[in-house]
Amino acid sequence: MADKKPVNHIRLTSHPDGQAPGVPLRWGESEPLRRGPVVATLSDPANRNVIGTHSGAYSIYRALAVSAGKLPQDHKADLTNTSPAAQVGPHPAWSDPKRIVSLDPWGAVASQVFRAYAEQGVDYRPTIAVTRAHINMPEVREAMAAGRLKVDGDLVAANGDVKVVKAAVEPVWYLPGIAERFGLTEGALRRGLFEHTGGMYPELITRPDLHVFLPPIGGLSLYVFGNINSLADRDVPLAARVHDECNGSDVFGSDICTCRPYLVHGIEECVRMAQQGGVGLIVYHRKEGRALGEVTKFLVYNARKRQEGGDSAATYFHRTECVAGVQDMRFQELMPDVLHWLGITRIHRFISMSDMKHDAIVRSGIEILERVPIPDGLIPADAKVEMEAKKAAGYFTRGPVADAGELAQVKGRDLDA
């Protein structure tokens, strides 16, 4: 009788059973070596101190690359010369576990401040990258041609290139802080995340000692115009727009919404503020279709346009709820974290009409002095339904926003020019 072959059991958890991580992670500690790095790599399970793995939504592509034999399973990143091109912080909020719960404040400088761990063989990865670049957009060149933006030979070049410092941020969730933001217990949050992702991460239930989770979702990027160190100086005028992804409008120019017009208007305001001695900031969140996704968004477009009487403000959100079950899943409660990471305590000109964004920022302890609406002349004809629907639904108010005359006086030009 032939010998039976041993059975290879598949582990249902990426962590050793009942074993504390070899690298502690103490969220909110002000001293980085005591705080410890985020270790989400799979090369040494004994050192893993979080649930999930690096790269957010792209972690699935990495898994596919390993499975297809294109990427060695034990690959370790060579982080030579990858340090931030511009310094951010540290700021007081970095050690406040209530201020920052959805990103790792030490994520950009991990390879510097956690070098001692690397020397001991701990395989960790940065979760934030900061670099320098130029952007060049047709609307910026149009603003230059119209005289609204000036060539200064530094920030703005004659060919329309605009200097920026930009950063990419992967989501890193501190579960106790996330739960508190949403008024939940940590246990309820863990169970909800586990059940409604089809049990994708069993450690949410089996490892209550691990309090940090790297969800497989899109992160955010930010673009800074002017001196990035000035963001933390509340006396330096700051213009800022927090923008949620809209691929159809932002990239392809679809005219059913105001997303790209408002984004480029925000960029113009940021550039102008930087040229006047202040600083500008664009924060771009990967929350396509109000975090409902682009497929859902396009289904809603069809439902709105094909209903009896055509598209209307009165049924705008009703059709969304019919398809998705909810109007909006962006949940701006986590959005201010990146502003605290940058050390921001005051925004002088907030390029947004959204009450949800405004209120979340103010509740987090950041002061907003002025809200800047999108000029009527920038609203595409097909997007007027959206604007009317949002007004009716209370998405934004014009009460705290300066009127057009006041804004024109500040900017030195007509808003609708």
Side-chain angles (χ1 to χ4, degrees):
M1 185 173 178
D3 292 337
K4 291 184 178 180
K5 293 183 178 180
V7 177
N8 292 320
H9 295 284
I10 298 175
R11 296 181 62 84
L12 295 181
T13 176
S14 57
H15 295 77
D17 295 329
Q19 181 178 328
V23 179
L25 179 56
R26 304 177 182 90
W27 198 266
E29 284 283 350
S30 59
E31 207 288 312
L33 286 179
R34 178 165 172 76
R35 205 301 299 267
V38 169
V39 184
T41 48
L42 299 170
S43 56
D44 188 355
N47 284 333
R48 284 172 50 78
N49 55 19
V50 302
I51 302 165
T53 186
H54 289 298
S55 301
Y58 294 98
S59 61
I60 303 300
Y61 286 104
R62 187 180 66 241
L64 181 60
V66 172
S67 300
K70 303 297 184 182
L71 175 66
Q73 185 171 341
D74 59 353
H75 170 74
K76 289 190 177 182
D78 180 354
L79 298 175
T80 304
N81 293 329
T82 62
S83 59
Q87 183 66 38
V88 176
H91 296 294
W94 289 24
S95 56
D96 186 341
K98 294 182 180 295
R99 292 283 190 215
I100 298 179
V101 301
S102 63
L103 59 88
D104 177 12
W106 299 99
V109 292
S111 59
Q112 290 79 53
V113 298
F114 300 126
R115 184 175 289 113
Y117 283 94
E119 292 171 352
Q120 297 172 25
V122 177
D123 182 17
Y124 57 83
R125 307 291 162 85
T127 57
I128 302 176
V130 184
T131 189
R132 295 184 184 272
H134 295 84
I135 63 170
N136 193 308
M137 303 174 68
E139 292 90 344
V140 170
R141 297 194 297 273
E142 291 169 7
M144 293 167 59
R148 299 195 304 272
L149 292 179
K150 308 295 184 183
V151 174
D152 56 31
D154 181 20
L155 183 66
V156 180
N159 68 346
D161 282 353
V162 180
K163 284 183 180 179
V164 295
V165 172
K166 62 181 183 179
V169 182
E170 291 179 1
V172 179
W173 285 10
Y174 176 57
L175 293 174
I178 298 282
E180 185 175 346
R181 292 274 180 96
F182 287 92
L184 303 170
T185 65
E186 184 181 347
L189 173 65
R190 284 172 173 268
R191 181 160 293 280
L193 292 173
F194 172 75
E195 291 179 348
H196 297 288
T197 57
M200 186 185 300
Y201 292 96
E203 292 97 340
L204 288 166
I205 303 300
T206 64
R207 294 299 303 268
D209 58 313
L210 300 175
H211 295 289
V212 176
F213 173 44
L214 274 59
I217 60 174
L220 64 91
S221 52
L222 56 90
Y223 291 76
V224 180
F225 305 81
N227 185 353
I228 192 170
N229 295 316
S230 295
L231 290 170
D233 187 339
R234 58 188 289 108
D235 294 323
V236 174
L238 167 60
R241 173 160 179 78
V242 175
H243 190 90
D244 292 324
E245 179 182 25
C246 178
N247 183 64
S249 178
D250 295 342
V251 178
F252 294 100
S254 170
D255 64 353
I256 198 171
C257 61
T258 60
C259 296
R260 181 177 174 95
Y262 218 158
L263 174 62
V264 297
H265 178 59
I267 291 172
E268 183 177 334
E269 291 291 326
C270 287
V271 173
R272 182 179 300 103
M273 181 66 85
Q275 288 188 316
Q276 294 173 350
V279 62
L281 171 68
I282 299 290
V283 179
Y284 193 92
H285 283 270
R286 296 312 191 284
K287 296 178 180 177
E288 176 64 61
R290 298 190 215 114
L292 302 173
E294 201 164 35
V295 169
T296 296
K297 182 165 72 171
F298 287 8
L299 293 174
V300 172
Y301 284 170
N302 286 343
R304 283 169 45 197
K305 293 179 178 181
R306 291 171 178 168
Q307 64 189 340
E308 185 176 353
D311 199 6
S312 71
T315 59
Y316 181 92
F317 287 114
H318 173 67
R319 296 310 300 154
T320 303
E321 289 178 332
C322 287
V323 176
V326 66
Q327 291 184 8
D328 196 321
M329 286 199 300
R330 284 176 290 182
F331 301 122
Q332 302 294 350
E333 284 85 351
L334 304 180
M335 173 267 293
D337 287 24
V338 70
L339 305 179
H340 290 291
W341 177 66
L342 293 165
I344 293 171
T345 58
R346 174 184 288 168
I347 298 173
H348 297 73
R349 291 171 59 77
F350 185 50
I351 320 299
S352 174
M353 297 165 70
S354 167
D355 284 353
M356 292 172 64
K357 294 176 183 176
H358 170 275
D359 294 349
I361 292 171
V362 172
R363 280 197 303 266
S364 79
I366 296 173
E367 184 182 12
I368 293 178
L369 299 186
E370 176 188 14
R371 295 168 66 179
V372 181
I374 185 172
D376 290 339
L378 294 182
I379 301 174
D382 209 22
K384 293 188 184 297
V385 170
E386 174 202 38
M387 296 300 286
E388 292 304 316
K390 286 185 175 181
K391 288 178 184 177
Y395 255 61
F396 47 74
T397 61
R398 297 183 70 96
V401 181
D403 63 30
E406 291 172 335
L407 285 174
Q409 196 171 35
V410 172
K411 295 165 59 175
R413 67 176 180 88
D414 183 4
L415 269 176
D416 295 321

